[in-house]
């Protein structure tokens, strides 16, 4: 008998993955954490029944969330990662030799512990000496940050659940105040296909704080609808055109989805997304 | 009680859509044709249990299959559509005022009949006086074509089933012979995420006939993995750069996914796809 993990996109659509081996279920104060192996997506981490990362396609999400801002900023030294307790974003950040410090602010220590135990390909960089981890609500942390950051990356769950406070104008305002001059913020910003209204609200909230929030996209097969959007906020730059070519060339071989061409292409948006999400 | 349509991506992965109303099941000499309404994707046409088009996202697939070659060719007058009995590709072709004739060669007359009855948004242009329909195996037709075409669009099912003969070097060779000077061929070429081996075979076959087949991609949420590839073959052009800007500007408002920016961006490929599919 085989059993299946069913991820609901909506009440009327779901993606089902056949489970080859169940590894763990933990209930933290914030969410239920499930980890299991599948035929097609390798090992999967699900939070409250929603696919969070899969070994097979996590590189797409993490590369695009990370390298787009890091290759626009001329010299990112200090990086704040909010959420992202699996470690995938930190792993990508540390591919940039210019990064001196990464602070990971994750509310749920159980996610980090489970990832360290079961997802070594993601959590492998969490022990790097440049990384500090604080187990704290990022909403509280960002209200009184004790340092400034060149890059802030919001690697959150969906707006329902523990991630809800990470999509508000108040939160973005505090993030902006925590950015050093020339700083850049990126965030995962949901599926423009399945939830255009939510996406529109995210960009409206960011737009009240940053001049013109920009959207870029990538395909992530294990996420709702297969297309995912990312929020890019900065005071002065053209993210599709401003690109640190020399730094990129020095480590281009480290990337599987990201490239100079993909960087520029990701900012091209179908007219329908621009219209539906008002971006 | 609600019932669900389950589309298998592979033995270990499936997408399920809740059915709100079942409209028809027909068995033609070639395949089983199902049409039903769903919550999230509107009306769906499935062939042999595989989602073929959904009202919700068919515009993405049809716009990208059609407008990329038609806006590279300087003056496409005669267009051959192979497969595509639902009519969506013909509808898009006829958005180009320079097109004088469209020949649709579809093996299965029942697909056209069912689409005319249940999918008017797709089949709406099949009655246009510029359109001829032949119910014939395209493999046989293309071996002895009675005219030359500026554009050939292969809008086929997967390589399994009635579409199998439409992915071979022999077939591409006959297509090339049926192209007028400067002609262009495009084809749907499967999911690079779920079936890289098949995709690689398609490009290898095309490469034996055309100098350098090019791939472009689009996201199609209802298709396997959400990312879809398209084959672009022509003897002399740079499809990402050669672009009929003036003609595009005259009808840009007709498109929901396609645009000048999306045209160029679609040819940017992640390193991982280039590597896995050898393109």
């Amino acid at each position: 008998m085989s059993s299946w993990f069913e991820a609901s996109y909506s009440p009327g659509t779901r993606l089902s993955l056949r489970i080859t081996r169940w590894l763990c279920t933990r209930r933290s104060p914030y969410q239920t954490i499930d980890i299991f192996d599948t035929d097609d997506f390798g090992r999967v981490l699900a939070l409250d029944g929603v696919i969070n990362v899969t070994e097979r396609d996590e590189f797409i999400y993490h590369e695009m969330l990370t390298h787009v801002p890091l290759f626009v900023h001329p010299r990112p030294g200090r990086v704040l990662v909010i959420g992202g307790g699996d470690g995938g974003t930190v792993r990508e950040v540390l591919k940039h030799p210019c990064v001196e410090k990464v602070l990971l602010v994750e509310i749920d220590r159980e996610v980090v512990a489970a990832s360290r135990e079961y997802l070594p390909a993601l959590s492998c960089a969490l022990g790097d000496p440049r990384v500090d981890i604080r187990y704290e609500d990022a909403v509280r942390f960002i209200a009184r940050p004790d340092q400034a950051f060149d890059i802030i990356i919001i690697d959150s769950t969906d707006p329902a659940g523990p991630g809800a406070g990470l999509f508000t104008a108040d939160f973005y305002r505090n993030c902006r105040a925590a950015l050093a001059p020339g700083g850049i913020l990126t965030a995962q910003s949901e599926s423009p296909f399945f939830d255009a209204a939510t996406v529109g609200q995210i960009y409206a909230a960011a737009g009240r704080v940053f001049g013109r929030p920009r959207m870029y996209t990538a395909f992530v097969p294990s996420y709702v609808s297969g297309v995912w959007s990312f929020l890019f906020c900065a005071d002065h730059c053209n993210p599709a055109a401003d690109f640190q070519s020399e730094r990129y060339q020095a480590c281009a071989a480290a990337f599987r989805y990201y490239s100079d061409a993909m960087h520029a292409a990701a900012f091209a948006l179908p007219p329908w997304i621009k219209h539906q999400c008002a971006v």
Side-chain angles (χ1 to χ4, degrees), chain A residues 63 67 90-97 130 251 254-255:
Chain A
E63 288 186 12
H67 302 306
V90 169
R91 179 196 66 203
E92 294 304 314
V93 170
L94 290 176
K95 289 182 179 170
H96 295 256
R130 288 168 289 176
C251 57
F255 312 128

Side-chain angles (χ1 to χ4, degrees), chain A residues 79 106-107 164 242-243 256:
Chain A
V79 179
E106 163 65 59
I107 199 170
D242 295 350
F243 181 69
R256 295 174 61 207

Side-chain angles (χ1 to χ4, degrees), chain A residues 154-172:
Chain A
I154 308 176
D155 181 6
S156 72
T157 51
D158 296 332
L166 309 179
F167 293 88
T168 67
D170 280 348
F171 184 72
Y172 294 134

Side-chain angles (χ1 to χ4, degrees), chain A residues 31 45 47 52-53 61-62 65 81-91 102-108 111-112 115 122-123 126 131 133 153-157 166 188:
Chain A
Q31 54 208 341
L45 165 68
L47 299 176
N52 194 265
V53 294
Y61 170 86
H62 288 123
L65 183 60
V81 177
I82 290 170
D86 55 73
T89 297
V90 169
R91 179 196 66 203
V102 187
L103 176 62
L104 177 70
V105 177
E106 163 65 59
I107 199 170
D108 193 344
V111 171
V112 175
S115 185
L122 284 120
S123 57
L126 290 176
V131 178
I133 305 181
I153 298 175
I154 308 176
D155 181 6
S156 72
T157 51
L166 309 179
Q188 74 83 2

Side-chain angles (χ1 to χ4, degrees), chain A residues 70 76-81 93 99 101-103 149-151 153:
Chain A
L70 270 90
R78 304 186 73 83
V79 179
L80 170 64
V81 177
V93 170
V99 168
K101 269 292 173 196
V102 187
L103 176 62
F149 302 95
D150 299 311
I151 305 280
I153 298 175

Side-chain angles (χ1 to χ4, degrees), chain A residues 64-76 96 98 150-151 182-186 214 216 232-245 247-248 258 260 263-264 267:
Chain A
M64 291 303 280
L65 183 60
T66 301
H67 302 306
V68 170
L70 270 90
F71 280 123
V72 170
H73 196 289
R75 199 187 144 75
H96 295 256
C98 55
D150 299 311
I151 305 280
I184 299 171
L185 174 147
T186 54
R214 298 283 302 262
Y216 61 101
F232 184 104
C233 296
D235 280 341
H236 308 288
C237 65
N238 177 348
D242 295 350
F243 181 69
Q244 302 293 317
S245 184
R247 273 182 34 228
Y248 165 73
Y258 182 84
D260 46 0
H263 180 111
F267 285 92

